[in-house]
DNA sequence: CGTCTTTGACCCGCGC
DNA sequence: GCGCGGGTCAAAGACG
């Protein structure tokens, strides 16, 4: 475990470099967190009405995830609108070999935990930028280890670059 | 040198 | 009241 991922440290080009790392990852499912009803009891049927049916995002799209816009709320769909608190939760089921999906932000791992429901450990990431209350939870699917479930919590209060 | 990673332990909340 | 689970923080170490 000497090296992790070819991750851009300070400045990277969300054009060619990213393409090198992320040729194209398949966003299998897009979960929306409002209350707490996600793949919990009914699973797919629960979010089947709002999930993205096998949408393939190009590397450019990934860069636009956080680089172009601000957060997912203005880039994807209506994540907020009537959230009672201030902790937006968005979960993405991504098909990728690595769990460190580069969304244009720098994340610092602050904890790892083994969940009983999955043979895979759950990783906790936090935005390296001070003042950014954004937290990320990465967990591998217990059914399909080739899928990674990334849960974003909070909103970025700073631009990913510039 | 600075930054990030890793593991363990601790704490809190909830359930029974 | 106790137990379990989940989540977070901290320190040390390693690497670029």
């Amino acid at each position: 475990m000497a090296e992790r991922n070819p991750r851009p440290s300070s400045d990277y080009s969300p054009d060619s470099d990213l393409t090198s790392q992320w040729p194209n990852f398949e966003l299998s499912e897009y979960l929306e967190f409002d209350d707490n009803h996600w793949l919990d009891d009914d699973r797919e049927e629960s979010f089947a009405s709002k999930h993205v049916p096998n949408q393939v995002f190009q590397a450019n799209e990934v860069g636009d995830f956080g680089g172009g816009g601000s957060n997912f709320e203005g880039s994807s769909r209506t994540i907020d609108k009537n959230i009672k608190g201030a902790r937006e939760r968005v979960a993405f089921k991504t098909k990728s070999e690595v769990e460190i999906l580069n969304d244009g932000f720098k994340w610092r791992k602050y904890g790892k935990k083994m969940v009983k429901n999955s043979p895979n450990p759950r990783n906790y990431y936090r935005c390296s930028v001070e003042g950014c209350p954004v937290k990320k939870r990465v967990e591998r699917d217990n059914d399909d280890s080739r899928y990674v479930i990334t849960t974003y919590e909070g909103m970025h209060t700073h631009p990913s670059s510039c």
Side-chain angles (χ1 to χ4, degrees):
Chain A
M1 38 301 254
E3 58 197 88
R4 40 198 184 247
N5 264 16
R7 175 215 283 175
S9 283
S10 299
D11 61 293
Y12 70 99
S13 317
D15 259 314
S16 52
D17 204 60
L18 202 62
T19 315
S20 232
Q21 297 163 62
W22 307 100
N24 62 329
F25 74 90
E26 191 179 313
L27 187 62
S28 220
E29 322 278 7
Y30 167 58
L31 300 323
E32 272 189 63
F33 277 89
D34 261 355
D35 267 26
N36 53 12
H37 62 83
W38 79 308
L39 45 103
D40 194 52
D41 54 290
D42 235 73
R43 289 197 182 191
E44 299 174 69
E45 286 196 285
S46 239
F47 55 81
S49 48
K50 48 170 69 174
H51 86 286
V52 186
N54 276 356
Q55 191 154 16
V56 180
F57 280 74
Q58 288 285 320
N60 263 331
E61 304 274 346
V62 184
D64 191 57
F65 240 38
S70 279
N71 319 306
F72 302 100
E73 57 146 354
S75 194
S76 328
R77 289 173 62 148
T78 54
I79 312 291
D80 58 325
K81 284 301 172 16
N82 46 24
I83 307 284
K84 55 272 236 75
R87 210 174 225 103
E88 280 78 307
R89 263 193 263 178
V90 191
F92 292 94
K93 191 158 153 189
T94 317
K95 181 180 183 183
S96 177
E97 292 181 38
V98 289
E99 55 274 296
I100 315 290
L101 286 118
N102 205 298
D103 44 20
F105 295 95
K106 205 144 68 168
W107 302 93
R108 191 221 310 167
K109 184 189 282 187
Y110 71 89
K112 189 202 301 186
K113 198 75 177 204
M114 283 276 204
V115 280
K116 279 199 125 151
N117 218 40
S118 296
N120 308 307
R122 181 179 290 174
N123 299 292
Y124 297 91
Y125 293 88
R126 207 173 184 181
C127 195
S128 301
V129 181
E130 198 186 333
C132 216
V134 182
K135 283 180 275 191
K136 189 162 79 168
R137 199 175 312 154
V138 180
E139 177 187 353
R140 278 200 185 275
D141 194 304
N142 59 5
D143 278 313
D144 299 286
S145 50
R146 66 203 105 184
Y147 285 90
V148 179
I149 302 179
T150 310
T151 308
Y152 288 89
E153 205 169 303
M155 283 208 242
H156 291 281
T157 59
H158 65 95
S160 56
S161 65
C162 182

